[in-house]
Amino acid sequence: MSSPLSSAQEARAALALRLRHLRLDAGLAGGELSAQCGWDGAKTSRIEHSRAAPSDADIRAWCAACGAEDQEADLIAAARSANSMYVEWKRLNRAGLTRLQNEIVPLIDRTRAFRVYCSHVVPGLLQTHGYAAAVIAAYGAFHAAPDTDADSAARARLARSRVLTQRGRTFAFLLEESVLLPGVADKETTAAQLDRLLEVFALPQVSLGIVPAGAARPLWSMESFTLYDTAQVGIELLSARVSITAPGEIAVYERAFAQLSAVALHGRAARTRIEHIRTAQG
């Protein structure tokens, strides 16, 4: 698997190169551009070497100094796109945990085919309120989120689950077997969550696969990810959320999903495995 950061890094490097070429085409040395923009001389170097992300104001000043105002809008759009590919959770958390749940709703609403792999917790679209609140509370505590209203955020997360029953959509979920055991959520909450997973088998548009522990497999467990149609991959790292839109990298995650799905339990076998774990938990 390629690094999920590579798309963001490449986008930022491409933007930096475009800005450097603008400066060179204008016949300006780095120090001259810095002086015209009114900033420290090292800032130009940091931007051109992708060590600093330029703001909208930085790009406007850069284009003005190079006489390239006609490229300003395109460069600002490229910068915003690059910055959205890798966003640290601490930045996303500033708006509050409930708003964080709602922020992804437009992407969910326009997606018709979901492929979701989860290695640590039950997918958000399948969570019960109690399980969601436990997961969100643990997340908020770890990241020291300013807003710790896990109950409100859980309600917002469950509201997204309405898409499960909407016509014209398909959902393929893959869960590592370890996800089914108590962990972040306590034993009772996990048991209720397993009951919810058993109910999901009745939904014709939903496929639920369990990657059994100890089974021969083509790939190790990895970060959780969601394929939104064939247009985007969303990846959840410990420190950040990564969005991938490069076709070549999307294909890597499609291949990983297909290979893991091939060794997963599906249908009656998956249901039986969940029932056995549920019974063992009491």
Side-chain angles (χ1 to χ4, degrees):
M1 294 281 294
S2 61
S3 166
L5 304 182
S6 57
S7 284
Q9 292 169 337
E10 290 174 6
R12 290 173 180 173
L15 174 65
L17 184 61
R18 290 179 65 183
L19 291 171
R20 173 177 168 79
H21 285 169
L22 279 186
R23 176 179 64 77
L24 293 175
D25 290 345
L28 295 174
E32 291 174 320
L33 184 136
S34 295
Q36 290 196 37
C37 292
W39 58 53
D40 180 87
K43 181 173 179 176
T44 295
S45 178
R46 290 197 301 271
I47 291 175
E48 289 189 354
H49 289 87
S50 301
R51 292 196 296 268
S55 66
D56 292 0
D58 292 338
I59 292 174
R60 292 189 184 98
W62 195 296
C63 289
C66 296
E69 289 88 346
D70 60 320
Q71 297 191 46
E72 179 182 294
D74 185 51
L75 288 166
I76 288 175
R80 290 178 179 176
S81 176
N83 290 335
S84 70
M85 290 180 179
Y86 181 94
V87 187
E88 292 183 346
W89 292 117
K90 64 181 180 181
R91 174 180 161 189
L92 292 168
N93 292 339
R94 292 172 189 161
L97 297 181
T98 300
R99 187 168 180 179
L100 177 60
Q101 300 304 312
N102 292 326
E103 189 256 351
I104 198 174
V105 168
L107 175 59
I108 290 175
D109 284 346
R110 66 175 178 264
T111 300
R112 291 296 175 266
F114 296 78
R115 284 168 289 177
V116 184
Y117 166 79
C118 284
S119 54
H120 306 300
V121 297
V122 171
L125 289 175
L126 301 180
Q127 291 178 4
T128 64
H129 182 275
Y131 188 93
V135 170
I136 292 170
Y139 165 89
F142 179 82
H143 288 284
D147 166 24
T148 56
D149 189 351
D151 187 69
S152 173
R155 289 196 300 271
R157 176 172 290 184
L158 262 65
R160 303 187 323 216
S161 301
R162 70 187 187 283
V163 297
L164 287 173
T165 57
Q166 291 177 350
R167 298 180 62 180
R169 302 179 193 267
T170 60
F171 304 84
F173 296 98
L174 283 181
L175 283 65
E176 294 287 345
E177 185 174 345
S178 58
V179 168
L180 306 177
L181 303 176
V184 174
D186 61 28
K187 184 177 179 180
E188 292 74 19
T189 302
T190 302
Q193 178 62 68
L194 295 184
D195 290 339
R196 168 59 179 155
L197 292 182
L198 292 172
E199 295 172 357
V200 167
F201 285 97
L203 299 176
Q205 66 273 32
V206 176
S207 167
L208 177 58
I210 306 298
V211 182
R217 53 191 294 158
L219 288 169
W220 53 93
S221 61
M222 62 197 74
E223 66 276 355
S224 297
F225 63 86
T226 300
L227 283 150
Y228 299 95
D229 293 322
T230 58
Q232 182 174 331
V233 182
I235 306 164
E236 296 184 356
L237 304 180
L238 183 62
S239 60
R241 184 179 67 196
V242 178
S243 298
I244 287 176
T245 56
E249 291 194 68
I250 291 174
V252 171
Y253 282 88
E254 289 181 318
R255 187 167 72 252
F257 190 90
Q259 291 185 6
L260 288 169
S261 183
V263 300
L265 303 175
H266 293 276
R268 183 177 296 275
R271 183 184 181 90
T272 299
R273 181 63 60 96
I274 296 173
E275 289 174 339
H276 285 169
I277 294 173
R278 172 67 175 89
T279 299
Q281 292 181 17

